[in-house]
Amino acid sequence: MNRVLVTGAGGRIGRAVVDALQLRRVAVTALVLPGTPCQADRLVEGSVCDVAAVRAAMAGVDGVVHLAARPAPHRGTPYEVFGENSLGTFTVLEEAGRAGVRNAVVASSLAANGLPFAAGPLSPAYVPLDAAVPSQAEDPYALSKLADEQTAAMMARRHGTTVVALRYPFVGGFAERLEEHARKVAADPALGAADLWSYLETRDAARAAVLALGVHGGSHVFHVAAPDTLAPYPTLDLLRRYHPSTAIRADLPGRTTPLDLGPARELLGFTAEHTV
């Protein structure tokens, strides 16, 4: 690819994606909110919900990584979180399709299953967790990510765009927040139960997005995470304690993450390189 549009390029994953693309000598157009610092080759300021701004940013690109979103249900009113997230994804993918862009990547979330922001403890039907596990969404952020995945599938049919939705877990740099979060989870594993103790280092999150630009055909939903958990305890012990109703469908030796990482490994060639 010659030029990729990155929305939300000033965010945690966005900055890393810009760096990863530029290291590969791919030019980057960034669509960011006004006043957001960014090191992209071309900068467009505006909202992903603004058709004119998105259309301007889409000029001359042959790939899109859409990361802009309100990242949690408390980051605005329910109407803002669901409304802006779902409309932003629709707008970016519709404009990508109209512009003839063939590859797009969308940031979904592990939260699409409904566990991380639920009012009370929930458990998945089974593990390893895959995209087919029934969602128990009860918050506007989780619903927006489910809507994003359905929008991606529709746009693949509508425009023939290849769209990959990446279900990211807890993402961060080691010194920035992963090590501190790991210490908290070690002291109280219940803190990681809703995320199934999964995580992904920021550089790996960016690399997954870049690899996803190379997929050809259809729409896909992948979990991407480190192969081990953030908790220093056997995964089976954690599941039996915090998710006793969850069916365990595979061997999970040691600290193996209870997410299904096979599809991302097989189709993207992605395996996380940075672990706690």
Side-chain angles (χ1 to χ4, degrees):
M1 290 190 174
N2 297 311
R3 178 175 291 274
V4 171
L5 168 62
V6 180
T7 74
R12 175 180 289 111
I13 300 175
R15 294 191 300 271
V17 169
V18 171
D19 289 344
L21 288 168
Q22 290 177 332
L23 282 172
R24 290 163 173 78
R25 301 187 182 279
V26 176
V28 177
T29 295
L31 177 59
V32 296
L33 293 174
T36 303
C38 183
Q39 299 300 316
D41 304 280
R42 175 174 177 251
L43 188 67
V44 178
E45 293 188 333
S47 166
V48 291
C49 297
D50 181 344
V51 174
V54 174
R55 189 167 294 174
M58 203 67 66
V61 309
D62 46 15
V64 174
V65 178
H66 173 50
L67 303 169
R70 291 182 181 251
H74 58 274
R75 298 294 288 271
T77 67
Y79 311 101
E80 290 168 336
V81 172
F82 177 76
E84 292 180 17
N85 286 1
S86 54
L87 178 58
T89 298
F90 184 94
T91 303
V92 169
L93 294 182
E94 174 69 1
E95 287 302 311
R98 287 169 54 91
V101 176
R102 307 319 303 161
N103 289 84
V105 180
V106 173
S108 187
S109 172
L110 182 68
N113 65 41
L115 275 64
F117 297 111
L122 296 174
S123 292
Y126 62 84
V127 294
L129 190 75
D130 58 26
V133 173
S135 175
Q136 301 173 71
E138 59 182 53
D139 68 85
Y141 178 74
L143 183 61
S144 76
K145 291 304 170 182
L146 289 172
D148 285 354
E149 293 174 3
Q150 289 299 307
T151 298
M154 184 276 283
M155 291 297 181
R157 295 188 293 268
R158 177 176 172 83
H159 296 294
T161 310
T162 299
V163 190
V164 176
L166 299 175
R167 285 193 176 183
Y168 285 119
F170 185 93
V171 174
F174 291 120
E176 175 214 4
R177 65 176 189 163
L178 275 183
E179 290 176 349
E180 179 183 3
H181 188 54
R183 287 193 292 270
K184 291 179 179 178
V185 169
D188 182 6
L191 294 175
D195 292 322
L196 297 177
W197 307 278
S198 61
Y199 73 97
L200 189 62
E201 204 272 341
T202 308
R203 289 167 293 179
D204 282 324
R207 189 165 58 85
V210 173
L211 288 171
L213 286 170
V215 175
H216 298 292
S219 65
H220 310 269
V221 179
F222 297 133
H223 285 97
V224 286
D228 58 355
T229 68
L230 203 60
Y233 310 107
T235 299
L236 289 177
D237 291 349
L238 292 170
L239 289 169
R240 288 165 181 154
R241 178 176 180 184
Y242 295 100
H243 297 293
S245 65
T246 298
I248 300 172
R249 295 184 172 182
D251 292 333
L252 297 169
R255 294 170 50 219
T256 300
T257 186
L259 307 185
D260 183 4
L261 306 182
R265 182 173 58 251
E266 292 157 11
L267 193 55
L268 302 185
F270 175 76
T271 300
E273 296 175 349
H274 305 283
T275 59
V276 173

